[in-house]
Amino acid sequence: MSERYPNSPEVTHWQAVTYHRWSSELILKGKLREAEIYLKKALNIDSKNRELVFEVKRDLERVQQLQTQK
């Protein structure tokens, strides 16, 4: 969809949401580096969505805390 409709706000929003959900699963599995990558992708794709940005930044902080605990 992102290739077919590259300028669609709905497509970019759902792509960012998908990256955020994937990162949540990766955090649960302990794959913190991969989760951080997907969180940053979500931020880059839909940086204008305030709620998503808030959630992603919160999860990034969580990943950083978990990385320091290891």
Side-chain angles (χ1 to χ4, degrees):
M1 293 292 284
S2 64
E3 291 175 13
R4 191 166 186 184
Y5 303 105
N7 297 325
S8 171
E10 291 87 6
V11 172
T12 56
H13 169 73
W14 284 108
Q15 188 175 13
V17 168
T18 301
Y19 284 147
H20 182 235
R21 291 297 309 140
W22 283 347
S23 68
S24 297
E25 291 296 320
L26 290 168
I27 291 170
L28 292 174
K29 292 180 180 181
K31 297 180 179 183
L32 302 177
R33 180 68 188 129
E34 291 175 49
E36 186 177 12
I37 290 168
Y38 281 108
L39 288 167
K40 289 179 180 179
K41 283 184 178 190
L43 275 180
N44 288 334
I45 289 173
D46 197 7
S47 60
K48 294 179 183 177
N49 183 330
R50 290 187 301 170
E51 289 182 41
L52 181 69
V53 168
F54 175 79
E55 294 292 326
V56 169
K57 286 185 176 180
R58 187 186 70 182
D59 284 349
L60 275 170
E61 289 175 7
R62 183 173 159 215
V63 165
Q64 290 170 353
Q65 288 176 349
L66 290 170
Q67 286 174 334
T68 58
Q69 291 176 358
K70 282 190 168 185

